[in-house]
Amino acid sequence: MKKTFMGTAGLALIALTVVVTGCGAKQEADEASAGSNAKANNSANAANIAAEVKKIIVGTGTQFPKVCFLDENGKLTGFDVELVKEIDKRLPGYEFEFQTLDFSNLLLSLETKKIDFVAHEMEQNPDRAKKYLFNKEAYAHWKTKIIAPKGSGAAFKTLDDLKGKKVLTTATSAEATLLENYNKSHDNAISIVYTNGAANDTVNQLTTGRVAATLGADFTLSLIDPQGKLESVGDALEEADVQFVFRKDDPDEQQLADAVDGALKAIKSDGTLSKLSIQWLGADYTQQ
């Protein structure tokens, strides 16, 4: 039998091959392990980020033309809705989700923690300020006036002129509070008729004579009455800033309100707020 002898160089080559193969296998194992660890870390980071993002339920309505309403495709939109979406973009620590409700149920839903704040052109007044927290930065400003059918409003200049008349308003609205407070000191002189707040119902009740007048913000007339059947008359009964409403005496709500204020300041300073007002309301109603 012929024996094959391998020299020192051959043995060294085999040894080197074994070492290289071993190193390659170890490197692949290390890379696989590193990849697994990276994926695990990424998953953990994603989970931590998700845990840090707080979901916020924003209460709004669907019956306020150009402010919060359903378009022809059933999509919720309008000035308040699009503003909230813009705020959401600028607050990575929060995720906003809309909950639509009847206007009269918004503040009750806030109190019972079904929603986290209200976005529905809410005016701050002394009665509301006692019960609720308002953010500091106003995003609109309006003047409340008497609204009546065209040609019949000349007789109405002040609330005194509405004595003995039926006046339409939405329950829990700032206008309702204005009328109710007037009645408290005037022996219920005005007959208050409450509605669900739908714009078409308001125009219909006024033009058919079922009620004599209603109260509304100066800019809302063209929104609820695009055909021009109504008119606003007299001087402003009151002026008010429009803000978001939060639960009072709640640290989390205060933190949220402060965050919203920070985003609103930026939205004001870069002109976005004015653009949204002009787009949806027809003019810039964001300042006094």
Side-chain angles (χ1 to χ4, degrees):
M1 180 179 294
K2 185 177 180 181
K3 294 182 180 180
T4 303
F5 294 93
M6 186 173 295
T8 303
L11 290 172
L13 180 60
I14 292 173
L16 180 60
T17 302
V18 171
V19 170
V20 171
T21 304
C23 288
K26 183 176 185 304
Q27 184 178 352
E28 290 178 2
D30 288 345
E31 289 176 352
S33 176
S36 298
N37 289 337
K39 289 180 180 179
N41 289 335
N42 288 338
S43 297
N45 289 337
N48 288 336
I49 291 172
E52 291 171 2
V53 176
K54 188 171 183 179
K55 179 177 281 191
I56 299 298
I57 307 300
V58 184
T60 191
T62 61
Q63 301 293 322
F64 200 155
K66 301 297 183 179
V67 171
C68 47
F69 69 105
L70 300 177
D71 65 14
E72 63 274 11
N73 298 315
K75 177 186 175 185
L76 181 67
T77 189
F79 175 61
D80 281 43
V81 174
E82 299 306 322
L83 174 57
V84 169
K85 289 180 181 178
E86 184 65 31
I87 293 171
D88 189 17
K89 290 178 186 177
R90 304 189 188 212
L91 296 178
Y94 293 99
E95 179 185 350
F96 291 173
E97 178 181 304
F98 287 101
Q99 176 70 51
T100 57
L101 299 158
D102 288 340
F103 180 83
S104 58
N105 291 329
L106 285 169
L107 293 176
L108 177 61
S109 295
L110 180 65
E111 293 175 21
T112 55
K113 299 186 178 182
K114 292 179 181 177
I115 59 176
D116 296 303
F117 76 90
V118 177
H120 198 297
E121 291 291 307
M122 301 294 284
E123 300 172 48
Q124 181 174 178
N125 59 36
D127 293 301
R128 285 177 174 170
K130 289 177 184 177
K131 296 182 65 177
Y132 307 103
L133 170 68
F134 286 80
N135 67 299
K136 295 184 176 71
E137 290 289 322
Y139 63 91
H141 183 85
W142 67 10
K143 300 175 182 179
T144 300
K145 293 186 175 183
I146 298 171
I147 296 174
K150 222 164 206 181
S152 68
F156 306 133
K157 300 298 183 184
T158 68
L159 289 180
D160 288 334
D161 298 325
L162 296 176
K163 288 180 179 179
K165 305 293 185 181
K166 290 183 178 180
V167 179
L168 192 69
T169 192
T170 304
T172 75
S173 68
E175 291 80 10
T177 301
L178 188 61
L179 290 167
E180 289 160 358
N181 286 340
Y182 179 87
N183 269 354
K184 286 177 183 178
S185 57
H186 292 81
D187 196 27
N188 292 318
I190 297 174
S191 177
I192 302 174
V193 178
Y194 295 97
T195 179
N196 64 1
N200 57 350
D201 180 59
T202 297
V203 176
N204 184 54
Q205 291 211 49
L206 284 163
T207 54
T208 57
R210 282 183 283 171
V211 296
T214 187
L215 306 184
D218 49 357
F219 75 81
T220 62
L221 186 57
S222 62
L223 306 182
I224 67 172
D225 178 36
Q227 296 181 342
K229 296 180 179 180
L230 310 177
E231 62 181 342
S232 61
V233 295
D235 296 329
L237 301 176
E238 67 175 8
E239 294 187 39
D241 285 332
V242 176
Q243 294 148 292
F244 299 115
V245 190
F246 304 80
R247 279 187 298 280
K248 206 167 190 177
D249 301 321
D250 184 326
D252 289 338
E253 288 281 282
Q254 183 65 65
Q255 185 178 21
L256 174 59
D258 291 341
V260 167
D261 276 331
L264 262 175
K265 286 179 181 178
I267 290 169
K268 284 182 177 181
S269 65
D270 66 15
T272 301
L273 184 61
S274 294
K275 290 178 182 177
L276 285 172
S277 180
I278 293 168
Q279 176 187 351
W280 290 103
L281 308 180
D284 188 355
Y285 292 100
T286 63
Q287 300 178 12
Q288 292 188 16

